[in-house]
Amino acid sequence: MDDGRNDGMDLGHPMHPFDVETLTVGRWRNGGGATREVAVRPADTGGDDFGWRASIADIDADGLFSAFPGVDRTLTLLAGDGVRLTCPGVFDQRLTGVGEPFAFSGDLSLAAELPGGPCRVLNIMVRRGRWEARVKGVHGPVAPPSGHAGLLYVRHGRWQAGAGGRVLEPGQGVWWDGGGGGAAPGEAAIVPLSPEAAALWADISPVG
């Protein structure tokens, strides 16, 4: 796929680099924010008929989040003072800790409030019953499990994607498909190069 999201670099495991600032920006219909799509699979489904999807969202104003029936979502604050997500009778959740993921059902229609102004979040969505996603902060090497898809987003420090591969700075990362057969130990590992290195790893695994 050559859609401007990566440069096609093959690092043993099928990894695709991205830089948030060069991703295509799509404004929301309600004017409350914008989405920068990192990856969607399958690539040729179109619309909302995806297996999994990863994006970066800039939330600029209070407003409603669209529901995605049959989808599980995980939002992680990347920058800003946080966002309050409410669904009457279900939850009232404040995302204030940068790098702390919050998982919820995409079937729900949410209201978002920005007590401290605009913020940026990592948005991982998976089709329930087909994929599962676990998002966590990491400081050490990440080796994508065989058959898993996923994404690594650099928050701090410098990381290297694959043996002799690209060096990643904050706001950059790599994503990979789940169709590869994996790689030899260390061949496709994403490793920190500096002591303050911190990243978010979304491990997206097939169900069954």
Side-chain angles (χ1 to χ4, degrees), residues 17-29:
F18 68 90
D19 186 318
V20 171
E21 298 307 320
T22 63
L23 296 172
T24 300
V25 180
R27 296 294 306 179
W28 298 354
R29 285 190 294 270

Side-chain angles (χ1 to χ4, degrees), residues 120-199:
R120 173 172 286 182
V121 297
L122 172 66
N123 180 28
I124 303 294
M125 298 194 290
V126 295
R127 187 71 55 186
R128 191 176 305 126
R130 291 164 57 186
W131 296 91
E132 295 177 336
R134 292 182 299 171
V135 181
K136 65 178 183 179
V138 292
H139 300 274
V142 170
S146 178
H148 289 210
L151 170 147
L152 183 132
Y153 173 89
V154 176
R155 291 184 51 229
H156 299 293
R158 299 163 66 245
W159 295 69
Q160 187 169 45
R166 169 174 294 195
V167 174
L168 305 169
E169 305 282 351
Q172 300 177 339
V174 289
W175 63 270
W176 53 91
D177 283 310
E187 181 182 348
I190 310 162
V191 298
L193 300 178
S194 51
E196 78 281 13

Side-chain angles (χ1 to χ4, degrees), residues 2 9 11 13 15 25-26 29 31 45 48 54 57 64 76 89 102-103 161 185 202 206:
D2 183 11
M9 183 169 61
L11 303 176
H13 199 94
M15 294 185 183
V25 180
R29 285 190 294 270
T45 54
D48 297 331
L64 299 178
T76 309
F102 173 58

Side-chain angles (χ1 to χ4, degrees), residues 16-92:
H16 307 277
F18 68 90
D19 186 318
V20 171
E21 298 307 320
T22 63
L23 296 172
T24 300
V25 180
R27 296 294 306 179
W28 298 354
R29 285 190 294 270
N30 65 7
T35 294
R36 303 167 189 256
E37 187 175 281
V38 177
V40 59
R41 284 294 184 262
D44 57 355
T45 54
D48 297 331
D49 187 22
F50 55 82
W52 65 268
R53 180 185 179 194
S55 62
I56 307 291
D58 291 314
I59 309 174
D60 300 327
D62 297 351
L64 299 178
F65 275 18
S66 299
F68 287 87
V71 169
D72 289 325
R73 302 182 64 176
T74 304
L75 288 184
T76 309
L77 183 66
L78 298 178
D81 289 335
V83 56
R84 178 188 180 191
L85 301 176
T86 57
C87 183
V90 181
F91 62 74
D92 184 334

